[in-house]
Amino acid sequence: MKRFGVPNILNYPKADYRAGTQNWGVAQDPNGFMYFANNLGLLRFDGLNWDLYNDSFTSNVRSVCIDDDGVIYIGLDEDFGIFDPNSPEGPVFKSLTDKLPEDIPETDVIWKIYKTQYGIVFQSYSYIFIYRDDKIDIIRPQKAFYYSFYINNRLFFHEPGVGLFEYINGFVNKVPWADELKDHEIQSMVSFFENHLLIGTAQSGWFEYKNGKLNKWDVPANTQTENDVLYCGIKLDGNNLAIGTILNGLIIANSEGEIIQHLNLNNGLQNNTILSLCNDRSGNLWLGLDNGIDYIELNSPISYTSRSENIGTGYCAVIHDNLLYLGTNQGLFTKKFSTIGQDNSEVFKIIPGTEGQVWSLKVINGQLLCGHNLGTFAVNGREVRQISDDPGLWTFIQLKNDTNYAIGGSFTGISLFQFDKGQWDLKTKIKGFSESSRFLSEDEEGNIWVSHGAKGVFRVTLNAHRDSATNVKLYGAKDGLPLDLMNILLKFDNTWCISTVDGVYSYNTAADRFEKNKSLNEIFSPYNRLKYIEKDFRGNYWYIAETEVGVLHKNDDTSYTRITTPFQQLRNKLVREWEFLYVYDLNNVFFATENGFAHYSSRIVTSYNQAFKCFITQVDVPNLDTVVYPVNQLDPTEFPFQKNAFRFNFSAPFYQNPEQLEFSYFIDNYSDSWSVWSNDNYRDLTNLPENDYVFRVKARNSFGVESDEATFSFVITPPWHRSKTATYIYILIVFVIVVIIAWFINKRFEKSKHKERKKHEQKLREKEKEFEKQAVLAEKEIIRLKNEKLEAQKLSLDKELANQTLSIVNKNKFLMKINEELKRVSNETSDGAVKTKMAILKKRIDKEIDNQNQNQIFESYFEEVHADFFERLKDKFPHLSPKDLRLCAYIRMNMSTKEIATLLNISDRGVEISRYRLRKKLNLTREVNLSTFLLNF
């Protein structure tokens, strides 16, 4: 462990972790997560995010222990049990107090928890509970327990006023050699080797049990511990001891009791009261403070000047005459330096007269020169002598051909310094050149080269007396350099080059222009602008570039190996554009930082290839107001399409340079390639199409080591209209539509066929109609001919009927005449026989005149000629009498009144009366001719 400076300390105040002030216990799980027993609950830290768990319990968390399987045991006020932060239902606490007998109503505060070969041991002031195989064994004190300890597979517990006890295979045995400690408050026990114990007490410090004897540990660390009041202690890697005190922070000592580091509020800690300690798997130390949490990188080869010394921002450093000089913006500071064992008790002190900005320190001819904002100082021990008041002396170079002279570059040009009588003094201000000269070098011809950050590179030729410039030439983009800006003059061995934005350039004297230096660009990346470079005595190049700090280690075959990993934590701490490093030897390399200086020692060897894990800690689904904890996922998690918004939170428990931790992710069935490395430890996704996805994420630490992938499988179910059910429905609908279309097409086809058939039938019908028409015409013609024939027959029959009727009329007339003659003869004769015969004859004549048979024959003939005439008359005029029907028939035959009178055997007047009555029965008006009506009926 390093003695120079203080290790890198990361402070996590209450404002960062957002919980209680006090942190009573610290533990690390197998995955690397850190857990803290805090007043307000159980804290978990993954290097980037803090989580506070306190929903499932209400009291303060006083202790925490994690076994090899990752099971978390916590002790509370009046309770203890198992905590599962990764339960599918969310973080869950399961109390074990339900396994206690009824005679133990209260457990008291559980201050200590250990994983032992006997089981999990929970210790309060009132009881010790040993949990194993889902059962709890109980150890009761004689008075009251104070604290318990588990060292080298041995379980000890202490009862003040009674003694120290050891639990062995179910039996409690008093430790016979510890009676001296029975009245002390034992706070800690550690062991450096077998059958060795260090027992720490609150008031009397440490006691050592060795070779069967207990003695006071009489070492410097114990003297400091007694003053500061011990509270806790643990063994560190390398047989070192970490001691947490109540009054004065942390003491780190070796097994001999020598203090290696003493850290407190003045040099990096947040608080001087340390309640708990934990040495993590990387060998670094966590402190649970009375107010806050601190992390200390113990195994790092880099340490820092203490902030308590308040030296300001670093700019330059040098070791001279066993003194370490640090030039800062506050002045020039110094203290003793030893390569054997640095004494951290001495603090840096400013050299009087150097208050202000120090720009450079350089030992030339055995004397230390200091370039200062106020001018130039010659430094002798802890005193200075100002040798120039030319303000802003940037740097010095010793002339090659005359080592008693040096050139100094300042804000306003260059000056000549002379070494005479064992000291340096200003010789003259060189005339003819007044540009700012921060970077200087001399070529083989004695020309002075000056690089200017904003103008280019100047070549200044001096006269023989070196008191003025005879020639000044400016080189820039027109002379081979990439730009006029951002050119830095750097020294390489016995030559010099210009570092540019496009690599390293060298001056070609013959061509009088700058060209790329191939050999140097092969060693250094041409795309990473060099800011500072220094070569050590072994030929290694230590450098600071635009984006990295490193060393090119020279191999036996003269090749170089680039080493940058140990310096990653310096990347954001250097003074930008004022980068500086100083190599004293391989174990003492200094880097100027914004808060002072960093110190590197190659003696501290640590592994930078340590594997670490990446985790997806939770998946937030804001639209569903749901949080998924993707631990031990067996099946993909399903999410609905319409609630498609996620935030994937991921972390990697790696605590060195956490600000440089980077992540890259890939999503199966979505990403084309892995994302660009980013410091963001979350990824938002929205509006993913339905599919099966696997979210993959990996981490890369500041040392370039990549973690394994963490994965989370999930499924975006399709919206209802694209779901399987909908697909089946769509298939059914498509099937129905196809069937309908097929039916429709078939129907159209049938309709077309039907139409064609109809059309064909129509044509056939038209032809048929034409044929029918022709047939009808023919039939009509036939009918016409038949009608003509019938009409002719009718006329013939009418004539015949008329003739017959006339014959009857004439016959009746004749018979009536005969009848009248017979009546006259009968009246004239007196012969009775004759009269009788004549009466008979007359009767026969009358009978012949009014013969019913004649009427029937007439009607028969009439119906034959005028079909259904009587039937139609009877249907329409049912009140017509037979006599009326006969009258109608006679009128239809267009017979005269006299002819009708003769046929009816009535007078002409009777016929007129009959005609009048008939009109009434037929409901005919005067305008209607009776003969015409009957002819058309």
Side-chain angles (χ1 to χ4, degrees):
M1 186 176 297
K2 292 188 64 177
R3 294 175 180 268
F4 182 87
V6 296
N8 187 35
I9 302 174
L10 300 180
N11 301 134
Y12 298 103
K14 175 184 174 181
D16 285 355
Y17 59 74
R18 301 184 301 279
T21 56
Q22 294 173 314
N23 297 279
W24 299 99
V26 187
Q28 187 176 31
D29 74 5
N31 291 324
F33 291 93
M34 299 302 303
Y35 288 83
F36 301 86
N38 183 269
N39 273 355
L40 294 186
L42 184 66
L43 276 171
R44 184 178 76 172
F45 184 48
D46 59 19
L48 296 173
N49 302 303
W50 293 90
D51 297 302
L52 176 63
Y53 303 113
N54 57 7
D55 292 339
S56 53
F57 43 85
T58 56
S59 67
N60 299 340
V61 180
R62 301 295 189 180
S63 53
V64 58
C65 176
I66 304 174
D67 67 14
D68 296 337
D69 297 323
V71 179
I72 303 171
Y73 301 92
I74 60 174
L76 312 171
D77 294 348
E78 305 296 343
D79 201 356
F80 63 91
I82 298 172
F83 180 75
D84 183 2
N86 300 317
S87 169
E89 296 79 22
V92 173
F93 171 70
K94 178 185 178 184
S95 175
L96 297 176
T97 55
D98 58 345
K99 302 182 185 304
L100 297 176
E102 295 181 358
D103 64 338
I104 303 180
E106 296 180 350
T107 65
D108 204 348
V109 179
I110 305 296
W111 287 107
K112 300 288 183 181
I113 308 175
Y114 303 103
K115 176 186 177 294
T116 74
Q117 71 267 35
Y118 309 114
I120 304 299
V121 175
F122 299 87
Q123 180 251 312
S124 71
Y125 291 148
S126 302
Y127 305 97
I128 290 178
F129 305 104
I130 302 176
Y131 174 68
R132 186 172 186 174
D133 298 331
D134 208 32
K135 294 180 181 179
I136 295 179
D137 294 328
I138 302 170
I139 301 175
R140 303 172 191 263
Q142 296 180 27
K143 291 182 177 180
F145 295 119
Y146 188 62
Y147 283 142
S148 58
F149 311 95
Y150 188 65
I151 306 296
N152 293 338
N153 295 322
R154 300 171 67 183
L155 178 61
F156 296 92
F157 47 88
H158 179 234
E159 287 191 56
V162 179
L164 182 66
F165 296 86
E166 182 176 3
Y167 180 82
I168 303 174
N169 296 325
F171 296 95
V172 177
N173 302 296
K174 189 174 182 180
V175 178
W177 48 261
D179 285 344
E180 182 182 345
L181 303 174
K182 70 177 182 178
D183 293 323
H184 290 75
E185 293 180 356
I186 298 178
Q187 299 288 136
S188 177
M189 291 180 67
V190 297
S191 175
F192 289 128
F193 46 86
E194 197 70 27
N195 295 321
H196 172 268
L197 288 174
L198 280 179
I199 303 172
T201 65
Q203 294 81 13
S204 303
W206 292 94
F207 292 82
E208 182 179 33
Y209 174 74
K210 184 169 65 172
N211 300 324
K213 294 181 180 180
L214 181 70
N215 296 296
K216 191 73 176 286
W217 198 34
D218 189 14
V219 293
N222 195 24
T223 303
Q224 186 69 48
T225 302
E226 290 184 65
N227 294 331
D228 298 342
V229 184
L230 171 68
Y231 189 82
C232 57
I234 62 170
K235 178 182 175 293
L236 300 176
D237 297 339
N239 273 350
N240 292 322
L241 173 65
I243 305 168
T245 71
I246 292 177
L247 301 179
N248 200 15
L250 177 72
I251 301 168
I252 299 178
N254 60 23
S255 59
E256 302 301 321
E258 298 172 336
I259 296 176
I260 301 174
Q261 291 281 350
H262 188 184
L263 306 174
N264 53 32
L265 187 62
N266 293 326
N267 56 11
L269 301 187
Q270 298 179 84
N271 190 271
N272 277 337
T273 301
I274 299 173
L275 302 179
S276 54
L277 297 166
C278 177
N279 195 201
D280 67 17
R281 285 193 294 276
S282 297
N284 297 310
L285 186 63
W286 291 86
L287 311 182
L289 305 177
D290 190 57
N291 189 353
I293 295 170
D294 283 345
Y295 169 75
I296 304 174
E297 290 187 23
L298 296 180
N299 64 352
S300 173
I302 295 178
S303 58
Y304 299 87
T305 53
S306 171
R307 67 185 181 188
S308 65
E309 296 174 300
N310 195 28
I311 65 173
T313 301
Y315 282 87
C316 54
V318 70
I319 296 173
H320 180 59
D321 292 339
N322 296 321
L323 289 175
L324 171 60
Y325 294 91
L326 302 179
T328 75
N329 64 337
Q330 303 293 313
L332 181 61
F333 293 82
T334 186
K335 76 173 183 178
K336 290 181 180 180
F337 181 81
S338 172
T339 59
I340 300 174
Q342 183 65 30
D343 182 9
N344 270 347
S345 62
E346 183 185 1
V347 298
F348 284 100
K349 292 182 180 180
I350 193 168
I351 298 177
T354 64
E355 293 83 357
Q357 177 71 56
V358 176
W359 293 116
S360 63
L361 292 168
K362 194 157 188 179
V363 178
I364 305 177
N365 290 348
Q367 187 172 13
L368 177 61
L369 296 179
C370 172
H372 197 280
N373 202 53
L374 300 176
T376 306
F377 295 89
V379 183
N380 184 16
R382 299 177 188 269
E383 296 178 352
V384 296
R385 177 177 61 88
Q386 188 166 7
I387 60 176
S388 170
D389 59 1
D390 185 21
L393 200 290
W394 292 117
T395 189
F396 305 90
I397 60 169
Q398 189 175 20
L399 295 183
K400 296 178 179 180
N401 296 326
D402 193 343
T403 58
N404 288 324
Y405 288 92
I407 299 291
S410 68
F411 292 171
T412 57
I414 54 178
S415 299
L416 180 66
F417 293 86
Q418 183 180 14
F419 186 74
D420 185 32
K421 297 179 182 179
Q423 63 182 20
W424 287 97
D425 285 294
L426 176 67
K427 177 72 174 176
T428 184
K429 178 79 172 178
I430 298 174
K431 300 176 183 178
F433 183 75
S434 58
E435 298 291 345
S436 177
S437 306
R438 181 181 168 193
F439 302 100
L440 297 176
S441 188
E442 182 189 12
D443 64 18
E444 297 298 327
E445 299 176 358
N447 296 310
I448 306 300
W449 290 84
V450 179
S451 67
H452 191 288
K455 294 183 178 180
V457 180
F458 293 93
R459 185 183 65 186
V460 181
T461 303
L462 303 179
N463 62 8
H465 299 288
R466 302 189 186 97
D467 59 358
S468 64
T470 59
N471 182 270
V472 176
K473 182 176 181 180
L474 177 62
Y475 293 82
K478 67 181 188 307
D479 303 296
L481 294 173
L483 297 172
D484 293 337
L485 308 174
M486 305 175 71
N487 299 304
I488 301 174
L489 189 152
L490 299 176
K491 186 177 179 181
F492 289 88
D493 298 329
N494 295 319
T495 185
W496 58 273
C497 292
I498 301 295
S499 174
T500 74
V501 295
D502 188 34
V504 179
Y505 282 70
S506 296
Y507 176 67
N508 186 326
T509 305
D512 191 26
R513 60 186 291 110
F514 285 89
E515 298 172 348
K516 269 194 173 184
N517 189 311
K518 294 182 180 180
S519 60
L520 289 177
N521 281 313
E522 288 176 358
I523 299 174
F524 298 96
S525 171
Y527 307 108
N528 198 0
R529 187 166 66 111
L530 287 173
K531 300 292 193 68
Y532 201 98
I533 188 166
E534 187 166 333
K535 186 178 181 181
D536 66 22
F537 66 96
R538 291 189 177 179
N540 305 314
Y541 284 107
W542 299 77
Y543 69 92
I544 300 173
E546 190 79 47
T547 60
E548 69 181 19
V549 180
V551 57
L552 291 176
H553 182 270
K554 189 173 184 179
N555 302 316
D556 293 337
D557 60 357
T558 70
S559 64
Y560 289 91
T561 300
R562 186 187 304 272
I563 301 173
T564 61
T565 303
F567 311 103
Q568 289 299 318
Q569 63 179 267
L570 296 175
R571 221 166 59 187
N572 300 319
K573 296 177 180 178
L574 303 179
V575 186
R576 188 166 180 80
E577 298 304 327
W578 299 94
E579 293 85 356
F580 171 85
L581 67 86
Y582 168 66
V583 183
Y584 182 70
D585 58 32
L586 295 182
N587 294 314
N588 293 283
V589 182
F590 296 85
F591 298 86
T593 70
E594 294 175 345
N595 295 312
F597 286 86
H599 176 267
Y600 172 79
S601 173
S602 61
R603 184 183 293 116
I604 306 300
V605 179
T606 185
S607 173
Y608 298 102
N609 295 318
Q610 184 178 1
F612 69 107
K613 298 180 181 180
C614 184
F615 297 91
I616 301 172
T617 53
Q618 66 182 45
V619 181
D620 296 323
V621 191
N623 291 336
L624 294 178
D625 194 22
T626 299
V627 177
V628 178
Y629 299 94
V631 178
N632 300 323
Q633 187 186 33
L634 298 177
D635 299 311
T637 306
E638 289 191 356
F639 298 101
F641 177 84
Q642 56 269 36
K643 303 295 183 181
N644 189 339
F646 308 94
R647 169 164 285 190
F648 292 87
N649 298 280
F650 32 85
S651 65
F654 191 83
Y655 305 102
Q656 294 170 269
N657 314 320
E659 72 281 356
Q660 297 180 32
L661 198 62
E662 297 177 314
F663 297 91
S664 178
Y665 64 86
F666 182 87
I667 306 169
D668 291 1
N669 297 323
Y670 184 79
S671 301
D672 294 326
S673 61
W674 283 87
S675 69
V676 177
W677 291 102
S678 168
N679 296 117
D680 294 335
N681 64 326
Y682 67 89
R683 174 68 170 102
D684 293 328
L685 295 174
T686 56
N687 300 322
L688 289 174
E690 64 270 20
N691 209 335
D692 295 346
Y693 298 98
V694 178
F695 185 89
R696 304 177 185 275
V697 63
K698 58 184 178 181
R700 183 174 67 183
N701 62 25
S702 60
F703 306 131
V705 179
E706 292 186 14
S707 70
D708 292 334
E709 294 177 15
T711 62
F712 175 71
S713 301
F714 64 103
V715 177
I716 302 296
T717 59
W720 187 91
H721 61 279
R722 291 201 293 266
S723 65
K724 288 184 178 180
T725 302
T727 302
Y728 295 145
I729 293 174
Y730 296 151
I731 292 172
L732 180 61
I733 291 173
V734 169
F735 177 75
V736 171
I737 291 173
V738 168
V739 170
I740 291 173
I741 291 173
W743 177 84
F744 181 75
I745 293 173
N746 185 62
K747 196 73 176 175
R748 288 283 300 272
F749 180 71
E750 290 293 330
K751 188 174 181 180
S752 177
K753 282 178 63 178
H754 181 70
K755 189 174 181 180
E756 288 296 323
R757 189 170 58 249
K758 292 280 283 185
K759 192 174 181 181
H760 182 67
E761 289 177 353
Q762 181 67 24
K763 288 182 179 180
L764 291 177
R765 281 197 297 271
E766 287 177 358
K767 289 183 179 180
E768 186 178 351
K769 284 183 179 179
E770 184 67 25
F771 293 150
E772 287 179 353
K773 185 176 180 181
Q774 292 177 0
V776 167
L777 290 176
E779 186 176 353
K780 283 185 177 180
E781 183 64 20
I782 292 171
I783 291 172
R784 185 183 66 78
L785 293 174
K786 284 183 177 180
N787 286 339
E788 288 180 356
K789 182 178 179 181
L790 288 174
E791 190 64 27
Q793 289 178 350
K794 179 181 176 184
L795 290 176
S796 175
L797 290 173
D798 280 343
K799 288 181 179 180
E800 184 179 349
L801 181 59
N803 291 332
Q804 188 177 9
T805 302
L806 289 175
S807 173
I808 292 171
V809 170
N810 290 330
K811 183 191 75 170
N812 286 345
K813 283 182 180 182
F814 178 74
L815 290 176
M816 287 177 64
K817 285 181 180 181
I818 292 174
N819 194 20
E820 287 178 358
E821 286 294 327
L822 286 175
K823 185 178 179 182
R824 184 180 59 77
V825 172
S826 177
N827 290 331
E828 289 178 358
T829 185
S830 59
D831 187 354
V834 172
K835 285 184 178 186
T836 300
K837 288 184 179 183
M838 291 184 67
I840 293 169
L841 183 60
K842 184 180 178 181
K843 192 175 181 178
R844 290 181 62 184
I845 292 172
D846 288 338
K847 186 178 179 180
E848 184 67 27
I849 293 173
D850 192 21
N851 192 344
Q852 187 66 32
N853 187 41
Q854 291 180 357
N855 291 335
Q856 291 180 352
I857 293 171
F858 174 78
E859 289 179 3
S860 174
Y861 282 142
F862 188 85
E863 279 295 330
E864 186 177 351
V865 177
H866 303 282
D868 300 327
F869 177 74
F870 289 133
E871 291 295 328
R872 284 187 278 114
L873 277 176
K874 287 178 183 180
D875 288 339
K876 192 168 183 179
F877 305 104
H879 54 276
L880 294 177
S881 63
K883 188 176 181 180
D884 293 332
L885 294 174
R886 288 183 63 196
L887 177 60
C888 288
Y890 293 150
I891 294 172
R892 182 179 175 84
M893 292 175 62
N894 203 20
M895 298 183 69
S896 63
T897 301
K898 287 186 177 182
E899 290 174 337
I900 294 171
T902 302
L903 290 172
L904 294 179
N905 197 23
I906 57 174
S907 63
D908 292 343
R909 179 66 180 171
V911 172
E912 292 296 330
I913 292 172
S914 296
R915 287 173 64 96
Y916 175 76
R917 289 175 179 169
L918 180 61
R919 289 180 65 88
K920 276 195 170 188
K921 290 182 178 181
L922 296 178
N923 296 319
L924 299 178
T925 61
R926 288 188 176 184
E927 289 78 13
V928 180
N929 184 274
L930 181 60
S931 298
T932 304
F933 173 77
L934 291 175
L935 285 171
N936 295 327
F937 188 80

